[in-house]
Amino acid sequence: GALSYYPAAGVSARTEGAGPLTLDGQRHVEQRAPAEAATIRWVRGNVPRDAVVVEAAEVPCGDASGGCSDWTDVGRIAGSTGRATIIGWEQHERQWRAAKGVVSGRRADVRDIYETLDLDRAAELLRTYDADYIVIGPRERWAYGDAGLAKFAQLGTPVYPEDGTGDFVVYRLLLGARGS
């Protein structure tokens, strides 16, 4: 009897209040973060498939100095659109890379991109990773603060929304990163 309880309780716990079951893995984003869902739809429809889109690589968490990346919303835009990013879930990236050194330092570089006030340093890092677009949303502000964000208006142009205002802003970077 005890063994048969878990499957029934598990199904009940997972479906309680969830509404109709669906195979749409983005439904929860639509419901809980509609502005992010709109940004994801925009990126899918307007950003070339081979573009590199920079987004937060960590979020503040508990006592973890430097924040957390795994099992968070980090990399949601890249993961939801198929666009490359500098780094998503760090341990996941380490697990799947044969050359694990490829991942080292990327989280710190993303932090530097967002936080530095040095325009040249940010441009250098963005060129290093052939970045084409950068996202500024609630996750980026939470992880890195607002102090270093103004520089992106000098490094690129807002393309979503075009007036550069809103919960999420996507800048197309004007660095000549590819081929220069």
Side-chain angles (χ1 to χ4, degrees):
L3 292 176
S4 63
Y5 169 78
Y6 181 77
V11 168
S12 173
R14 289 290 184 185
T15 60
E16 194 173 293
L21 296 178
T22 176
L23 294 176
D24 181 1
Q26 294 296 306
R27 185 169 153 231
H28 73 286
V29 180
E30 291 283 350
Q31 293 173 336
R32 292 183 179 95
E36 186 168 17
T39 304
I40 289 168
R41 283 192 304 275
W42 185 88
V43 169
R44 278 189 200 135
N46 296 281
V47 172
R49 290 191 171 273
D50 64 344
V52 176
V53 179
V54 182
E55 61 183 312
E58 62 194 11
V59 292
C61 67
D63 344 341
S65 64
C68 296
S69 70
D70 298 341
W71 303 103
T72 68
D73 293 337
V74 164
R76 181 184 277 170
I77 292 174
S80 298
T81 64
R83 298 327 184 261
T85 193
I86 294 174
I87 188 166
W89 289 3
E90 188 172 16
Q91 292 300 11
H92 180 82
E93 298 276 353
R94 288 181 189 281
Q95 177 183 2
W96 291 104
R97 303 287 175 257
K100 297 191 183 349
V102 167
V103 176
S104 294
R106 287 180 177 234
R107 240 169 72 171
D109 285 350
V110 172
R111 173 176 286 283
D112 209 10
I113 288 168
Y114 280 100
E115 290 182 348
T116 187
L117 301 178
D118 182 341
L119 195 66
D120 293 331
R121 173 69 178 148
E124 173 190 343
L125 285 168
L126 290 163
R127 281 188 195 99
T128 296
Y129 294 105
D130 288 330
D132 300 297
Y133 295 83
I134 191 158
V135 174
I136 299 172
R139 198 166 23 261
E140 289 73 23
R141 288 182 186 93
W142 184 36
Y144 309 118
D146 291 323
L149 301 183
K151 71 181 165 287
F152 297 117
Q154 294 176 282
L155 294 171
T157 185
V159 290
Y160 177 83
E162 288 181 18
D163 68 359
T165 63
D167 287 343
F168 284 85
V169 178
V170 178
Y171 284 89
R172 184 170 50 85
L173 298 168
L174 305 172
L175 303 171
R178 293 183 188 265
S180 66

